[in-house]
Amino acid sequence: MSTIKPTFIGPVRQALTMENLPLKGALKDEQLEIIQEAGILIQNGKILKIGSFEDLLPEAQSIGAEMVQLNEDFVALPGFIDCHTHICFGGSRAQDYALRNAGKSYLEIARSGGGIWNTVTKTRQATQEELAKLTIHRSNRMIQEGITTVEIKSGYGLSVAEELKMLRAIKLANESTQADLIPTCLAAHIPPKDFQGSQKDYLKTIVEEVFPILKEESLAKRIDAFIEDTAFSTEDIQLYFQKAKAMGFDITVHADQFHTGGSQVAVEFGAISADHLEASGNKEIEILAASDTIAVALPGASMGLGVPFTPARKLLDAGASLAIASDWNPGSAPMGDLLMQASVLGTYEKLSNAEVLAGITCRAAAALDLQDRGQLKPGMLADIILFPSADYREITYQQGRLKPAMVFKRGVEIE
Ligand code: NIG
Ligand code: FE
């Protein structure tokens, strides 16, 4: 199938467009726009039209569209978007996982020199090409599962050269994967042990020596920081985010994972998203709900660490926007199965199908400031997934076991 020749897919029993949903607040399944017996006409990698299969068929034929005739039951959705991952890394932290299950906490392991620093060591040992290969391998697995856009953070380099190596590896990987990889600079992940100087000096070095290169080489448009006891304080991060903002970067924050404080900083800086929020209480929920910052729940980190989930229900009921991401990383979230995690979050937090699915489509697109995806409507990228079912509710009901039978990226079917 070529991207040049138009394509017509259908008939699809139910096409969930994810259109016309508010960005913020609770959602009911009745709000989902579902086109029954749908046809999707694709041209040049974008959706030209979506509507009744029968109504669109003559037009599809008149423009010579290639038919993807569906003879079984399928539900169509926009390609999933994982808006928070760390899949560019070397090594494994199976040892940390065993230690945690034996009673040590994530923060204790971090304080004793393991945790993220262990991955930094392994990532530094890998070449740029090796990191690109590992990233391609992981994102290829994700696209098979319907994730057509993957955000990826640096943050295991923690020096000027090593952070740039990671971001160049992600750029390289993006050139040879079918998924779109969206890079984020997380040089402020933890203070590097081997930096000669204070935490503020380290951040200053990153601002002066990494930020300009991010622009020059188009390596990232987004800046992230981990605000936590074992990482950076709300005070340390001020100048870093001020500079990032002044240079026009989007800001996102690892916030309130174990202690509060990060979400407030996120809102103060007009961050596009505040991610984690497992420790957020009513005050933080209110602050987020009153802002335009999107709350991102990372159920894979709760499952990887065995800690409570982000208060997703409370956030939505308070009026916040909620996206859901896998946080796939070797430490806190080694599983990397977005749909399974989003479905299970829905079970524990009592989320509607609409809330779960919006969290990994349209609301995740907003968390990455991507206006061209996350919904099935004319003009959007033809990133489309087809689940083998006649009822969309089967998707969360099967808690990740039901996988897409077909995945299209920019109109091209993934083999
Ligand atoms: O999102 N919390 C900080 N950073 C990552 C974990 C990274 C790691 O443990 O390697 C997270 O959970
Ligand atoms: Fe993370």
Side-chain angles (χ1 to χ4, degrees):
M1 199 185 304
S2 86
T3 41
I4 306 301
K5 198 166 182 206
T7 307
F8 188 49
I9 305 176
V12 179
R13 294 285 164 268
Q14 298 182 324
L16 270 67
T17 67
M18 306 310 289
E19 220 191 319
N20 300 319
L21 294 171
L23 180 59
K24 294 177 70 176
L27 298 171
K28 296 236 180 301
D29 287 355
E30 296 72 54
Q31 289 172 266
L32 288 170
E33 183 183 274
I34 303 175
I35 306 174
Q36 315 279 346
E37 301 305 319
I40 308 171
L41 189 52
I42 297 167
Q43 196 169 41
N44 296 327
K46 291 189 176 165
I47 297 171
L48 185 64
K49 289 207 174 147
I50 175 165
S52 145
F53 179 82
E54 241 176 65
D55 293 353
L56 290 179
L57 187 59
E59 182 174 348
Q61 286 166 337
S62 75
I63 62 170
E66 200 166 296
M67 286 293 300
V68 179
Q69 177 81 39
L70 304 175
N71 300 314
E72 288 162 47
D73 293 338
F74 287 102
V75 172
L77 274 161
F80 293 149
I81 297 166
D82 195 337
C83 67
H84 180 142
T85 84
H86 307 248
I87 62 166
C88 181
F89 63 86
S92 156
R93 302 242 293 280
Q95 168 75 1
D96 282 13
Y97 189 76
L99 284 173
R100 288 203 302 273
N101 289 353
K104 277 223 179 320
S105 78
Y106 183 74
L107 293 183
E108 274 166 0
I109 294 169
R111 284 191 196 103
S112 66
I116 293 171
W117 190 252
N118 174 302
T119 302
V120 171
T121 310
K122 297 284 161 34
T123 304
R124 285 180 178 181
Q125 281 162 7
T127 65
Q128 190 172 298
E129 288 66 31
E130 284 165 346
L131 284 177
K133 235 173 134 183
L134 288 164
T135 306
I136 291 167
H137 181 74
R138 294 175 185 126
S139 72
N140 283 347
R141 192 196 105 183
M142 294 174 88
I143 202 165
Q144 295 292 339
E145 295 172 357
I147 301 152
T148 47
T149 302
V150 184
E151 185 264 11
I152 309 178
K153 299 174 195 300
S154 65
Y156 294 126
L158 305 187
S159 70
V160 172
E162 293 293 330
E163 281 296 306
L164 290 173
K165 182 181 87 180
M166 283 195 74
L167 289 159
R168 288 178 184 136
I170 296 167
K171 189 172 179 183
L172 199 62
N174 193 32
E175 287 160 13
S176 25
T177 49
Q178 285 169 298
D180 288 330
L181 309 183
I182 310 293
T184 302
C185 176
L186 177 59
H189 199 180
I190 54 166
K193 288 174 186 303
D194 55 353
F195 183 82
Q196 310 290 326
S198 69
Q199 300 193 5
K200 280 192 179 147
D201 294 338
Y202 168 69
L203 294 175
K204 192 162 171 274
T205 306
I206 296 296
V207 166
E208 287 170 0
E209 297 179 33
V210 174
F211 285 8
I213 299 177
L214 300 183
K215 295 266 173 192
E216 273 163 42
E217 294 185 30
S218 301
L219 291 175
K221 293 182 184 159
R222 298 160 41 85
I223 302 291
D224 196 347
F226 183 20
I227 299 180
E228 187 51 63
D229 283 9
T230 51
F232 293 93
S233 70
T234 53
E235 193 214 312
D236 283 348
I237 217 65
Q238 297 293 322
L239 198 71
Y240 189 74
F241 276 159
Q242 275 164 22
K243 296 281 183 195
K245 232 185 137 150
M247 288 179 77
F249 290 102
D250 277 338
I251 288 171
T252 174
V253 186
H254 276 70
D256 300 0
Q257 186 180 13
F258 302 102
H259 301 91
T260 54
S263 53
Q264 171 116 34
V265 175
V267 171
E268 277 166 15
F269 278 96
I272 192 156
S273 76
D275 307 29
H276 274 294
L277 311 174
E278 293 89 335
S280 299
N282 291 341
K283 181 179 142 218
E284 290 72 30
I285 290 169
E286 269 170 40
I287 292 171
L288 284 163
S291 77
D292 291 330
T293 299
I294 297 177
V296 180
L298 305 171
S302 297
M303 292 186 206
L305 298 176
V307 302
F309 289 112
T310 300
R313 179 73 271 144
K314 283 189 176 175
L315 281 157
L316 286 162
D317 287 344
S321 184
L322 183 89
I324 306 169
S326 74
D327 196 20
W328 187 2
N329 72 71
S332 62
M335 183 203 297
D337 187 333
L338 176 64
L339 183 57
M340 182 275 191
Q341 295 163 0
S343 303
V344 170
L345 179 74
T347 313
Y348 279 84
E349 283 292 310
K350 307 297 170 213
L351 307 182
S352 66
N353 283 290
E355 288 164 338
V356 171
L357 295 173
I360 54 178
T361 57
C362 49
R363 288 177 169 182
L368 296 178
D369 193 27
L370 298 172
Q371 278 95 26
D372 61 355
R373 66 196 76 189
Q375 299 172 49
L376 298 179
K377 69 174 183 189
M380 290 268 164
L381 292 181
D383 292 357
I384 301 162
I385 51 184
L386 297 177
F387 282 91
S389 174
D391 179 353
Y392 76 89
R393 295 173 306 177
E394 289 282 336
I395 298 169
T396 56
Y397 165 61
Q398 295 199 26
Q399 297 189 307
R401 182 164 50 89
L402 188 71
K403 303 284 182 216
M406 282 188 242
V407 177
F408 296 85
K409 178 66 192 161
R410 292 174 198 259
V412 178
E413 190 179 352
I414 303 296
E415 297 300 324

